[in-house]
Amino acid sequence: MEPAGLRADARHNRDRILGAAREAYAARGLDVPMGAIARRAGVGVATLYRRFPSRESLITEVFGDELATCAAVVDEALADPDPWHGFCAAIEKVCAMQVADRGFTDAFLTAFPEAIDYERTRARAERGFAEVIRRAKAAGRLRADFAMADLTLLLKANCGVTDGAGQAAAAGSRRLVAYLLQSFRAEHAEPLPPPPRLTLAHLHAPTPR
Amino acid sequence: MEPAGLRADARHNRDRILGAAREAYAARGLDVPMGAIARRAGVGVATLYRRFPSRESLITEVFGDELATCAAVVDEALADPDPWHGFCAAIEKVCAMQVADRGFTDAFLTAFPEAIDYERTRARAERGFAEVIRRAKAAGRLRADFAMADLTLLLKANCGVTDGAGQAAAAGSRRLVAYLLQSFRAEHAEPLPPPPRLTLAHLHAPTPR
DNA sequence: GGCCAACCGGACGGGGTCGTCCACTTACCT
DNA sequence: AGGTAAGTGGACGACCCCGTCCGGTTGGCC
């Protein structure tokens, strides 16, 4: 992740590029031209491409840690003595992350199902969250018919609210999450249509064809 | 809307273009190249541009009726003797429309706040729906703190679920809507974070800057 | 049938992005 | 200090999209 065999100037530029990319992606989402990032970092386009052979590899690198943070959130939820509180907190945190960093959402939601690292981290997060769900149900707080797919649903829904709402995104996301968490409570359970066949992996692929 | 002063071949081509555009937009969303639509319609690009001077005018024309349908849904809700049933049915219908026609969502959600017709129709729909809300609250079925902004929230959330979920979009949308309608019920009301400052008009503008 | 205006379609210019190439510069080791 | 490989940046080609222009074609009225 941090190639050691680089010359001092090269490493310096690499850092500047990553910084510029992080800022740009957070502010404007993923569709920022490579040239813009290079300019922002004060380097030439070639330098950028030498360090990150493709647009994809840059994005993967940039959002690697944030994805890790995301997985950490699941671990926190597992550590919480109150399963329901852990469940809610985890959801709220991830959604807040989606709001804070516009690129983050796109980054691992709409791009690159192929990135190996992502796949592994996501699988881990998914297993962990399944356990969070199990516990919350066992505690009698989470409705029994809650499915893993509902998490995907919530994330995608939050994604829609976040996307381009600017100022109102934060408030909107908070309120949406509050509404949904209320329906997730066991005591509110009423029949629902069947859950969609969605895994976290299905968060990808914004364009079906 | 249907210019009469056109020569037979011109009118024929106009229809083919509209048909092709409708299909393409429904299937792949709004970002379909003009050239692709022209090819699909079996005409040259120039023909397309002569009939619809800009990309925007084509889209406006294509989705005019669907927007009207949307407004009609509100009228149905107003006509429903059971305010809560009308409220739910209206939401379910509009969300189903979003699922069925991928372009529809983008069309009046993410594009052209300027289109006069849209503005007027939307304003009408908004007034109508405000009345639906008022009645549902008066009937004691809709929670008192439900805000108009929550409708926008729901539509944007549904938009996120719909977007690129392909097969699962329909099931996902249905389930999301069911969850949210449950939280909207008066008897489930619990404190919520304040609603975002969103109008239907704010459905637009996918890119803040 | 014949004529003319309306209509047609492909080629084209302008703008934008991705990713590559190459002549020049610079860090770093000896 | 000096040589060299690694590093650098701007120019460049390929591609795609929007919207326009112009020479050829055709509908429809007389």
Side-chain angles (χ1 to χ4, degrees), chain A residues 150-168:
Chain A
D150 289 329
L151 173 63
T152 309
L153 210 56
L154 180 146
L155 291 177
K156 294 201 74 150
N158 189 58
C159 194
V161 170
T162 300
D163 194 61
Q167 182 56 276

Side-chain angles (χ1 to χ4, degrees), chain B residues 15-50:
Chain B
D15 290 347
R16 284 186 57 85
I17 289 171
L18 281 175
R22 240 185 290 269
E23 282 178 34
Y25 288 153
R28 279 176 298 177
L30 278 197
D31 44 3
V32 176
M34 295 295 263
I37 293 174
R39 214 174 320 117
R40 194 173 183 135
V43 304
V45 193
T47 304
L48 198 167
Y49 274 102
R50 193 170 326 102

Side-chain angles (χ1 to χ4, degrees), chain A residues 77-102:
Chain A
L78 280 172
D80 196 316
D82 177 344
W84 172 250
H85 179 265
F87 174 85
C88 294
I91 286 178
E92 281 161 0
K93 277 181 204 158
V94 174
C95 288
M97 284 177 69
Q98 282 192 351
V99 172
D101 186 335
R102 175 141 182 226

Side-chain angles (χ1 to χ4, degrees), chain B residues 107-128:
Chain B
F108 83 135
L109 291 195
T110 79
F112 324 129
E114 326 84 34
I116 302 296
D117 253 19
Y118 282 24
E119 198 44 60
R120 216 178 29 205
T121 310
R122 181 171 48 228
R124 197 167 71 82
E126 196 160 344
R127 275 196 310 277

Side-chain angles (χ1 to χ4, degrees), chain B residues 11-201:
Chain B
R11 184 187 311 238
H12 175 246
N13 277 341
R14 187 175 187 280
D15 290 347
R16 284 186 57 85
I17 289 171
L18 281 175
R22 240 185 290 269
E23 282 178 34
Y25 288 153
R28 279 176 298 177
L30 278 197
D31 44 3
V32 176
M34 295 295 263
I37 293 174
R39 214 174 320 117
R40 194 173 183 135
V43 304
V45 193
T47 304
L48 198 167
Y49 274 102
R50 193 170 326 102
R51 219 44 72 204
F52 306 94
S54 71
R55 178 189 178 67
E56 173 178 332
S57 64
L58 172 62
I59 295 177
T60 304
E61 181 73 30
V62 166
F63 290 99
D65 4 338
E66 265 176 302
L67 183 58
T69 304
C70 201
V73 165
V74 174
D75 291 337
E76 282 176 48
L78 280 172
D80 196 315
D82 177 346
W84 173 250
H85 179 265
F87 175 85
C88 293
I91 286 179
E92 281 162 0
K93 277 180 203 157
V94 174
C95 288
M97 284 176 70
Q98 282 192 353
V99 172
D101 187 336
R102 174 141 183 225
F104 172 65
T105 305
D106 311 6
F108 83 135
L109 291 195
T110 79
F112 324 129
E114 326 84 34
I116 302 296
D117 253 19
Y118 282 24
E119 198 44 60
R120 216 178 29 205
T121 310
R122 181 171 48 228
R124 197 167 71 82
E126 196 160 344
R127 275 196 310 277
F129 203 81
E131 174 63 10
V132 172
I133 290 175
R134 199 193 56 73
R135 288 200 209 174
K137 282 184 185 174
R141 304 295 309 279
L142 178 62
R143 55 191 299 163
D145 58 352
F146 184 90
M148 178 60 97
D150 289 329
L151 174 63
T152 309
L153 210 56
L154 180 147
L155 290 177
K156 293 201 74 149
N158 190 58
C159 194
V161 170
T162 299
D163 195 59
Q167 182 55 276
S173 171
R174 272 197 302 273
R175 193 159 164 110
L176 174 75
V177 169
Y179 268 131
L180 285 174
L181 287 180
Q182 287 193 11
S183 340
F184 291 165
R185 293 173 53 163
E187 63 264 42
H188 292 168
E190 289 172 41
L192 279 176
R197 307 194 81 256
L198 282 174
T199 341
L200 283 187

